[in-house]
Amino acid sequence: MRIPLDLAETVAAVADEGTLDAAARRLRLTPSAVSQRIKALEEQLGRVVLVRSKPARLTEAGAAVVRMARQVALLEHDTLTELGAGGDEGSRTSVPLAVNADSLATWFLEPLARLAERHPIVFELHREDQDFTAALLESGTVMGAVTSRATPVAGCRVSTLGAMRYEAVATPAFARRWMPDPASPATLVDAPVVDFDRRDDLQTLWMRECGIDESLPARHYVPASNDFAAAVRLGLGWALLPTFQSQAGLARGDLVRLGGPPIDVPLYWQQWNLRSALLGAIADEVVAEGRRVLRPIRAQAAG
């Protein structure tokens, strides 16, 4: 059995765009033609590849088909480049990657900019918590990801990036109001805290380390990295910020450390285990930058 590439690319387009109508516009087909292609593939495979919801969702079989389509596109790019026919502006290869919000806001874009100068490539970035980016690799949604997972995802290889350090900070006025004993973070018990979203557990982990009942403080939710840092600088609450974002405010006196232990979040780069010059170049740039700007991962953190 062979999987027709045009049918696989159609499934990938629907997965990218979210609906059959949007995929049809991208492929310059009618929605009916897109639906017929998917139906033909499902009949050929004897499996459903797409749940026709809004947005459309891939089944396990569909994820495998999309992964194949993306891998073929990557290999085609490498072949055209090797033949000297891959540099025209109209044939840019799209590479989907997953990255956590704090890396995206601080260090991750610089290596991508360098890559875009040297290769006919565009990036589709999926922002997700580092604890959940690996799932996007498993589904075939992305080709590479910044993740907290050190164990390789099936069919992927992993490289160590480094640890992003977070420290608890607030404005001086906020600390004076809510922290009666500046030498004891535990006295911060009633102070409002800023969380990224309801899955953000950094502040909760820090409170546990400091002996604070994490169920007591009121919580703000600010789900964007730069806006999250701005909320702390404006005195909305306290939070753990990456040192990338806090160091300037600490130097100016706009922020103060609240004490307690810093939290290091180990980060790794995982990507498809595919022989591809382009994917290798992406890994080289991202890993080199991560190791340059992040802290070395301590042995106990990496295990």
Side-chain angles (χ1 to χ4, degrees), residues 54-297:
K54 288 190 176 181
R57 292 185 294 107
L58 293 172
T59 65
E60 185 176 346
V65 169
V66 168
R67 191 157 49 244
M68 185 207 80
R70 298 200 198 286
Q71 290 176 350
V72 170
L74 200 59
L75 294 173
E76 181 183 49
H77 170 275
D78 289 344
T79 302
L80 289 172
T81 299
E82 187 176 344
L83 295 174
D88 61 290
E89 292 296 317
S91 62
R92 292 184 177 273
T93 299
S94 177
V95 177
L97 305 174
V99 59
N100 60 308
D102 288 335
S103 292
L104 180 59
T106 53
W107 65 271
F108 190 70
L109 290 177
E110 288 192 23
L112 301 193
R114 293 194 292 268
L115 286 159
E117 288 180 354
R118 302 197 307 269
H119 301 276
I121 184 173
V122 292
F123 295 101
E124 179 183 353
L125 300 183
H126 296 253
R127 188 186 66 187
E128 182 57 274
D129 184 272
Q130 63 272 0
D131 293 337
F132 301 97
T133 49
L136 297 176
L137 275 171
E138 292 173 323
S139 69
T141 302
V142 300
M143 299 178 184
V146 176
T147 175
S148 60
R149 180 168 164 177
T151 304
V153 171
C156 293
R157 58 187 176 90
V158 59
S159 300
T160 299
L161 291 171
M164 184 171 281
R165 170 157 288 189
Y166 292 78
E167 294 182 303
V169 296
T171 65
F174 184 94
R176 286 193 299 270
R177 177 182 177 186
W178 294 101
M179 196 171 171
D181 181 357
S184 175
T187 62
L188 202 65
V189 62
D190 294 321
V193 60
V194 184
D195 283 337
F196 188 86
D197 57 25
R198 295 183 186 276
R199 296 187 302 187
D200 178 8
D201 62 355
L202 278 182
Q203 285 68 229
T204 295
L205 292 174
W206 184 87
M207 283 188 278
R208 289 174 185 168
E209 289 286 334
C210 294
I212 298 173
D213 183 346
E214 68 266 22
S215 68
L216 295 178
R219 295 178 184 259
H220 303 285
Y221 296 98
V222 184
S225 185
N226 287 322
D227 295 336
F228 180 92
V232 176
R233 290 194 298 268
L234 292 170
L236 198 62
W238 69 269
L240 279 87
L241 293 183
T243 53
F244 292 115
Q245 293 180 323
S246 64
Q247 56 192 358
L250 290 167
R252 292 193 303 266
D254 298 336
L255 295 173
V256 294
R257 293 183 177 90
L258 301 178
I263 293 181
D264 287 348
V265 176
L267 296 175
Y268 304 87
W269 176 251
Q270 294 213 33
Q271 68 180 45
W272 291 347
N273 192 15
L274 183 70
R275 285 186 174 274
S276 163
L278 180 59
L279 207 53
I282 293 170
D284 290 344
E285 283 287 354
V286 170
V287 171
E289 184 71 10
R291 292 178 178 177
R292 185 180 72 82
V293 303
L294 298 172
R295 302 174 65 86
I297 295 178

